[in-house]
Amino acid sequence: MTRWIPAAAAAALTLALPPLLSSSHLTIYILLGLAAIVTIGLSLLMGYAGQVSLGQAAFYAIGGYTAGLLSVHSLPPVLGLLAAPVVSAAFAVVVGVPMLRLRGHHLAFATLATQLILLSLVGQADWAGGAIGLQGIPRLSVGGYEFAEDISYAYLVWAAVALTMLVARNVVASRPGRALRALATSETAAAASGVPVGRYRLTVFALSAAFAGLAGGIYAFYLGYIAPGSFPVLLSIEYVVMAVVGGLGTLWGALVGATAIVLLVQVLNTVGTQPGMPSYAPSVLSYAVYAVLLVLVVLFLPHGIVPALRVRMSRVRG
Amino acid sequence: MSELLQYLITGLGGGCAFALVGSGLVVIHRVTRVVNFAQGSFAVIAAMTASTLLASGLPHGVSETLAVAVGAGAGLLVGLVAIGKPGTPPGASLIVTLGLGVFAYAVEVLIWGDQPRSFGGVPGAVDVLGARFQAHYLLIIGATLAVFAGMGVLFARTDVGRALTACSANPYAAKVVGIDVRRMGLLSFVIGGALGGLAGVLVTPIQLVTFDYDVTLIVGGFAAAILGGLMRPALTLIGGLLLGVAQALVAGYGNAAYQMEVALVLMLAVMIGQAARRPIVQEEVA
C-alpha cells in the first residue's frame, strides 16, 4: 500500500495546481509536463537499451508536424493528436532497423545526424512551411469541446504524463520488462538467455519516440505554431540532461529530473531578465546550468538523483 | 573544367577543417577511448580568440598562434574534467564532454556575444588553369598537410608518441612499463585542443563562425574520423578531404542547401556498413 502514497500525492498535487497558477506559471507547468513525457521515454531508452539518443527532439518535431499538418488541412484535430505518436513510432522503426546495429558513441552521432537531416529537410519543404514554419494550427477540440484556455491544456498535458507513466510502468513491470532489465545489465547474457535483443531494443526505441511524438502533438496545438527552429539539437541535449540528472531507467527519476531542470532554468531566467542584467544573461545562465548539472551528476552521482535518494532512504530505514 | 578544379580546391580546403577536427577526435579517442563532443568548441574558441587579438592590433601569425595555444588550454581543461576523476568510464566521459560543449556556449556568448565572427586571411586570389579561388585555401591545405606529416613523425619517431601509442594499444601494459597513462590522456586532450584550434583559425577567413558552429565541425570531423574507425589519423585525413570535396561538388552542381546532408548520410552509411561487418559477440563495456 505504502508504495502508492507518493503516486497518489503526486496525482493530487498535479490536479490541484492549475487553478492556483498565474498564466505565466501555467505556461511553465504545461511545458514542464511536455518535457516530462519526452524524458520518461528517453529514460527508458537510455536506462534499458543503454543508449544515448541525441536526437530525441526529432521525434518531438515529427509529432508536432504530424498533428499540425493534419489539422491545418482541416482534418479533426483529435485525429492529428492520435496520429502524432503513431507516426513518430513508425519513423523510429524505419530509421531504427539499420541504426540500432550501432552502439555507444556511434549511435549517439547517428541520432544526432537523424535530427539534423530531418530539420534541414523540413526547413526546405514548402508543404511544411519551410524555414518560416507551420502557422495557424487550430486549437485542439474533441467532439464539441474546444481546448481554448491554457488551463485545459494543463490538464490535458498532465493526463498525458499520467498515461505515459502508466504505460511505461506496465512495460517495465511486465515479462518483457524483466527481459529489458537483463538487457540493460548485459546484452550478451540477455541474448544467451533467449531475449530477442534486437527486437526489444527497437521496441523501446519506438516507444520512446511515441512518447516524444505525443508531447510534440500537444505542443503544436498549444502554441499553434511550429518551425524547424523550435526543435534545435540543444533541445535533445536538454532531454538527456533531464533524464541523466533524475536517474536513468527510473520513471520517477525522469519526472524529478524534468521538474528540477525546468524550474531551475526558469528561476535563472527570472534572475537573468532582471533590470540591469545584460541581454545575453538568460541564455548564458541556462547553458551554464545544463552543462554544470550534467557534468556534476555524471561524475559524482552517476545513477542520478532518485536512485541516490532511494539508497539513502533505505539506509535510514535499515 | 576550370569550374570543377575550383570546386575541388575549395572542397579540399573545407575538408581540411574536418580532417583537423577529426584528427583531434582520433588522438583523444586512441589514448583515452573517449569521444570528445567538445572538440568543435576548441575550434570556435580559437577562432573567436584570434578575431579579438587581431582586432586589438596584434599581427597575423602571432594572433593565430596564441589562439591555437588557447585551444590547447581549453583541451587541457576539458581533459581534466572528463578523465581527471579516476574510474570514470568512457561512456560517462562522453556525456561529460557533451556537457562541457554546452558549457563552452555559455563562455563564448558571455565573452564574444552571439553574433558571427570572421577575420581576413591570406589576401588575394590565385588563378590556376582558369580556376580562381582565394589564396587562403592554399594556406589551409598546406598547413593541414604539414600538421599531418608532423603528427606522423610524432607518433612514429618520438618517445612521447610511442608512449601515446602504447597507451592506446594496452593501457595496463603501458602502466606496467612506467608510462603515466593519465598524463598521456591529458596530453592527448592538449593535442586535440590544438588541432581543433588550428581548424578554427584556418577556417574563419572563409567561413563565418558563430558560437554554435561547433555542431557542424564535430559532425564533419566525426564523419571524417569514422572512416578510420576513430583510430587512424591517415584515414581521417582522406575521409575529411573526400567529405569536403563531396560537399563542394554537391553545392556547386546541385543545391548548396544539401551540403550538410552529404556529411551526415556519408557518416551513417560508413557506420552502418562497419557495424554490419563487426562480429556479433562484442566485448562488454561495463
Side-chain angles (χ1 to χ4, degrees):
Chain A
M1 239 358 245
T2 49
R3 45 195 288 260
W4 288 100
I5 291 173
L13 188 68
T14 45
L15 286 176
L17 265 178
L20 303 175
L21 295 170
S22 70
S23 78
S24 63
H25 287 155
L26 202 54
T27 306
I28 299 166
Y29 191 60
I30 293 168
L31 295 178
L32 165 57
L34 293 176
I37 297 173
V38 184
T39 309
I40 290 167
L42 186 60
S43 180
L44 273 183
L45 178 69
M46 287 176 69
Y48 291 106
Q51 306 297 354
V52 189
S53 166
L54 294 180
Q56 207 64 11
F59 301 117
Y60 191 59
I62 290 175
Y65 271 97
T66 305
L69 281 169
L70 286 180
S71 46
V72 161
H73 290 95
S74 55
L75 280 157
V78 67
L79 204 66
L81 187 63
L82 294 177
V86 177
V87 174
S88 291
F91 180 79
V93 170
V94 171
V95 298
V97 168
M99 240 166 57
L100 287 177
R101 293 160 177 270
L102 306 175
R103 299 282 192 280
H105 55 257
H106 292 95
L107 186 64
F109 270 94
T111 49
L112 175 70
T114 311
Q115 186 182 351
L116 290 171
I117 292 174
L118 188 83
L119 288 181
S120 165
L121 291 182
V122 169
Q124 291 159 46
D126 292 329
W127 51 268
I132 303 160
L134 195 62
Q135 295 170 353
I137 301 167
R139 303 233 108 185
L140 180 65
S141 55
V142 181
Y145 180 76
E146 198 191 43
F147 286 73
E149 302 294 325
D150 278 8
I151 196 160
S152 51
Y153 281 94
Y155 281 115
L156 173 71
V157 167
W158 282 88
V161 173
L163 176 73
T164 311
M165 285 287 273
L166 200 66
V167 170
R169 206 200 78 85
N170 282 332
V171 167
V172 171
S174 66
R175 192 181 145 81
R178 280 201 301 280
L180 280 176
R181 258 171 289 167
L183 191 62
T185 325
S186 163
E187 232 172 67
T188 314
S193 7
V195 175
V197 171
R199 215 171 68 214
Y200 276 19
R201 287 183 56 186
L202 188 63
T203 310
V204 182
F205 192 56
L207 189 67
S208 79
F211 289 170
L214 175 68
I218 299 175
Y219 176 79
F221 286 118
Y222 173 57
L223 279 197
Y225 164 77
I226 45 173
S230 322
F231 312 101
V233 171
L234 199 66
L235 186 63
S236 294
I237 297 177
E238 277 178 43
Y239 295 134
V240 174
V241 176
M242 291 173 186
V244 170
V245 167
L248 293 175
T250 66
L251 300 174
W252 287 106
L255 209 54
V256 169
T259 310
I261 304 283
V262 169
L263 292 185
L264 193 56
V265 166
Q266 205 52 48
V267 167
L268 289 168
N269 212 12
T270 317
V271 172
T273 46
Q274 291 294 311
M277 292 296 266
S279 61
Y280 54 74
S283 56
V284 168
L285 283 174
S286 57
Y287 292 144
V289 165
Y290 289 135
V292 169
L293 271 180
L294 187 60
V295 171
L296 287 183
V297 167
V298 169
L299 288 181
F300 298 104
L301 215 58
H303 300 291
I305 293 176
V306 167
L309 281 180
R310 265 190 203 148
V311 170
R312 191 145 301 170
M313 296 268 277
S314 62
R315 260 190 218 142
V316 170
R317 277 189 203 142
Chain B
M1 187 58 208
S2 61
E3 205 177 37
L4 176 67
L5 191 64
Q6 189 167 329
Y7 295 150
L8 281 178
I9 304 268
T10 54
L12 288 177
C16 285
F18 295 141
L20 286 172
V21 172
S23 66
L25 283 175
V26 168
V27 171
I28 294 173
H29 179 259
R30 268 168 66 109
V31 179
T32 66
R33 293 289 181 272
V34 174
V35 178
N36 178 27
F37 257 88
Q39 187 67 28
S41 320
F42 302 153
V44 175
I45 288 174
M48 302 267 176
T49 307
S51 80
T52 301
L53 293 177
L54 285 168
S56 73
L58 277 178
H60 273 292
V62 178
S63 303
E64 279 91 344
T65 311
L66 283 175
V68 171
V70 169
L76 179 62
L77 289 179
V78 168
L80 279 172
V81 179
I83 61 164
K85 189 167 173 284
T88 312
S93 294
L94 174 116
I95 304 211
V96 169
T97 59
L98 181 68
L100 292 171
V102 176
F103 191 74
Y105 283 179
V107 174
E108 289 154 13
V109 174
L110 188 67
I111 300 179
W112 293 288
D114 52 8
Q115 292 306 305
R117 296 220 164 197
S118 192
F119 52 79
V122 179
V126 185
D127 275 301
V128 178
L129 301 171
R132 205 174 157 74
F133 51 88
Q134 289 176 42
H136 188 76
Y137 281 100
L138 295 179
L139 174 69
I140 298 180
I141 296 168
T144 304
L145 292 179
V147 164
F148 271 88
M151 276 209 301
V153 173
L154 173 78
F155 279 109
R157 301 249 181 270
T158 65
D159 283 348
V160 175
R162 289 199 192 98
L164 285 169
T165 308
C167 292
S168 91
N170 188 337
Y172 180 73
K175 207 176 281 176
V176 169
V177 297
I179 297 170
D180 187 338
V181 175
R182 185 170 163 276
R183 211 163 75 197
M184 287 299 141
L186 291 178
L187 179 62
S188 75
F189 268 95
V190 172
I191 298 174
L195 288 168
L198 187 64
V201 298
L202 284 176
V203 83
T204 315
I206 55 164
Q207 173 84 48
L208 286 174
V209 172
T210 52
F211 72 97
D212 54 2
Y213 187 60
D214 70 316
V215 175
T216 311
L217 283 174
I218 186 83
V219 166
F222 189 83
I226 202 72
L227 197 65
L230 281 178
M231 293 301 268
R232 301 169 67 180
L235 281 178
T236 305
L237 177 61
I238 295 171
L241 296 180
L242 280 177
L243 180 61
V245 170
Q247 285 195 340
L249 291 179
V250 166
Y253 292 114
N255 184 344
Y258 290 113
Q259 272 194 52
M260 182 89 164
E261 278 90 333
V262 175
L264 299 170
V265 171
L266 214 66
M267 172 175 101
L268 286 176
V270 171
M271 283 199 300
I272 292 169
Q274 284 176 347
R277 278 189 282 112
R278 224 173 286 150
I280 294 162
V281 176
Q282 301 186 346
E283 57 176 321
E284 295 255 334
V285 184

